[in-house]
Amino acid sequence: MEPDSRLAANVMHFARLLRRAGLPVGPSESIAAQDALTRIDIGSRTQAQTALRAAMIHRHEHRQVFDHAFALFWRDPSAAEQAAAMALLDARKDRKPERPPPAARRVAEAFASKSNKPPQPKDEPPRVDMTLTVSELERLQQMDFESMGADEIARAKQEIRRLVLPLDLRRTRRTRPDQNGPVTDLRRTIRTSLRQGGEIVTISRSRRVTRPPPLVVLCDISGSMARYAQILLHFLHAVTNDRDRVHVFLFGTRLSNVSRQLRARDPEVAFQMVAHAVPDWSGGTRIGEALASFNHLWAKRVLGQGAVVLLISDGLDRDGAHGLAENMDRLHRSCTRLIWLNPLLRWSGFEPKSQGIRAMLPHVDEFRPVHNLASLRGLIDLLSRPAPLKPGSAGRFEQPLSR
């Protein structure tokens, strides 16, 4: 059956709505959706929704946004008028306003953005008193990632790309030629004198090479962390492309090394490669098993030369913290600095009640929130300062030397 031209146009507009809501829907998904509608009973709303969902989305976390968009776009006009009238009656009642879920908010903003508003007359702009008001950028800095709409997420990603992550420089055993350096290079001095018949004309000098320590990131991508992990991946992509020796691992029910994928300059290409490399996105959480796999397979490769470790997780482990304390202790002793970033710290009344959080807390050097742009800037300020000495180190990490 050939698709109706009006139906094809509606599918095209529906795909644009999904793109404005932040879903990766392109021409291939639109063509597949039109073909899927020709193979079902178009009179059945359930079959149409199932066919469009199967053809247009590819990730589990996009399903909620799709369902809200479908209910809002493919609706009965008379039912919409009745719903608007009921909403007007409910607005007159004294009731506490309920905050819509993030998915519904994103779809509502995308649906409202398609209407073209008429141009306003060019009158003299009104004078507004800006005393004691907050700028849009400052409000964005304090907004939780989970409550952001599509436009706010896009602006937050732009701000994240501008962040620069400094780490204090550390001396290595390597040297470089420097005529004003503090060390006399006897070997190079003699080699240079051979060109002058063995006569020493100048004394060569050198200086120790300094470089930032390796940065290792372990990021939780389970269902409870999926919303934050999607935005934090932009931060990790910017850091990976800004500096060398950055190793990024994602874990849910298993551990995945995505350092090579995040080195792609184009963010969309990098995230598409990460999506193919990580099979357990938005699944369960096995923190202890993931840390055990990291300590066994990767710790000796990436945790040398004074490495700094960022652990991004809410600490909710489905295995009941089995083996978590032992693996956290080994990870803590293998690195110079272990910083735990937990989005649950956004709540003022946070208490470490779960077994996983209680097992992990004794083995971290810093415990900080990571739920908005302000928390990321606070992390950058923290890492720009020299690392404090660990108890019992006796100055071991004060001036570490690395090969």
Side-chain angles (χ1 to χ4, degrees):
M1 184 177 70
E2 294 295 332
D4 186 11
S5 59
R6 292 177 298 177
L7 181 61
N10 287 333
V11 171
M12 179 187 66
H13 289 296
F14 181 58
R16 292 176 179 175
L17 172 63
L18 294 179
R19 282 198 297 270
R20 287 194 297 269
L23 301 191
V25 178
S28 59
E29 285 79 10
S30 301
I31 296 174
Q34 296 178 25
D35 181 66
L37 292 179
T38 62
R39 302 176 185 274
I40 63 169
D41 180 12
I42 197 64
S44 174
R45 183 180 180 87
T46 303
Q47 292 187 25
Q49 183 176 2
T50 304
L52 291 177
R53 184 193 300 126
M56 304 184 79
I57 66 173
H58 308 288
R59 301 189 67 86
H60 177 73
E61 61 268 16
H62 296 160
R63 180 170 180 174
Q64 186 179 10
V65 178
F66 175 88
D67 292 340
H68 282 290
F70 184 89
L72 189 61
F73 186 86
W74 303 95
R75 64 172 184 248
D76 185 5
S78 60
E81 295 176 359
Q82 296 176 5
M86 293 300 297
L88 182 60
L89 292 177
D90 293 341
R92 297 179 179 178
K93 299 179 182 180
D94 296 333
R95 58 192 306 181
K96 185 177 181 180
E98 297 181 357
R99 189 170 191 174
R105 181 181 176 185
R106 290 171 58 187
V107 173
E109 291 178 354
F111 191 81
S113 64
K114 73 174 185 178
S115 58
N116 297 323
K117 298 182 180 180
Q120 300 294 330
K122 296 182 179 180
D123 297 334
E124 183 180 356
R127 297 181 179 179
V128 181
D129 185 9
M130 301 299 294
T131 306
L132 300 180
T133 58
V134 181
S135 66
E136 184 67 20
L137 181 59
E138 185 175 355
R139 187 182 69 88
L140 186 66
Q141 297 286 333
Q142 302 296 332
M143 181 175 292
D144 195 329
F145 290 143
E146 193 173 16
S147 61
M148 287 184 176
D151 294 339
E152 294 161 342
I153 289 177
R155 293 201 304 270
K157 291 177 180 178
Q158 294 177 359
E159 293 294 327
I160 286 175
R161 294 190 188 102
R162 300 190 184 100
L163 298 179
V164 179
L165 184 62
L167 288 175
D168 55 314
L169 297 177
R170 296 179 179 273
R171 294 190 307 158
T172 67
R173 290 189 175 94
R174 297 181 181 274
T175 60
R176 60 178 177 85
D178 187 350
Q179 196 58 35
N180 298 322
V183 181
T184 302
D185 192 342
L186 183 59
R187 177 181 296 180
R188 195 158 57 90
T189 300
I190 297 176
R191 188 184 301 117
T192 305
S193 67
L194 296 178
R195 303 172 186 173
Q196 309 294 334
E199 183 178 355
I200 298 179
V201 179
T202 59
I203 297 178
S204 302
R205 309 187 72 84
S206 62
R207 184 183 300 274
R208 281 276 176 84
V209 175
T210 59
R211 61 186 309 188
L215 178 65
V216 180
V217 183
L218 300 170
C219 184
D220 189 349
I221 56 171
S222 61
S224 58
M225 286 287 298
R227 181 67 168 173
Y228 294 97
Q230 291 177 10
I231 301 180
L232 290 175
L233 270 182
H234 287 265
F235 174 67
L236 299 179
H237 176 262
V239 171
T240 304
N241 284 270
D242 180 64
R243 59 189 303 117
D244 59 346
R245 301 201 298 175
V246 177
H247 310 277
V248 181
F249 298 85
L250 306 182
F251 67 90
T253 56
R254 66 190 72 179
L255 185 72
S256 302
N257 185 2
V258 296
S259 305
R260 182 177 301 175
Q261 288 80 0
L262 288 179
R263 291 193 183 101
R265 287 292 181 181
D266 190 347
E268 298 301 329
V269 175
F271 300 148
Q272 186 176 6
M273 295 171 62
V274 170
H276 290 295
V278 180
D280 57 337
W281 194 285
S282 300
T285 315
R286 293 176 178 172
I287 306 178
E289 183 177 337
L291 293 182
S293 178
F294 174 80
N295 289 331
H296 179 68
L297 298 176
W298 296 99
K300 291 184 178 180
R301 306 184 193 181
V302 300
L303 290 185
Q305 306 174 8
V308 176
V309 177
L310 300 181
L311 177 60
I312 306 174
S313 175
D314 54 7
L316 305 180
D317 191 3
R318 62 179 295 182
D319 289 340
H322 176 69
L324 185 55
E326 294 80 1
N327 288 289
M328 280 292 298
D329 179 61
R330 179 177 175 181
L331 177 63
H332 185 224
R333 288 186 286 107
S334 302
C335 64
T336 302
R337 200 173 186 182
L338 177 55
I339 302 174
W340 183 10
L341 306 176
N342 192 333
L344 296 181
L345 285 180
R346 67 186 186 273
W347 309 113
S348 58
F350 171 80
E351 295 181 3
K353 294 183 179 181
S354 68
Q355 296 180 0
I357 297 178
R358 290 201 303 266
M360 296 168 65
L361 267 180
H363 307 287
V364 298
D365 299 314
E366 298 282 347
F367 190 37
R368 303 181 62 86
V370 56
H371 61 286
N372 55 18
L373 292 175
S375 61
L376 287 180
R377 295 188 182 278
L379 172 65
I380 291 176
D381 294 339
L382 173 68
L383 293 178
S384 63
R385 299 191 296 266
L389 294 179
K390 289 186 177 181
S393 60
R396 175 185 175 186
F397 299 103
E398 183 176 0
Q399 290 182 337
L401 300 179
S402 56
R403 294 188 182 274

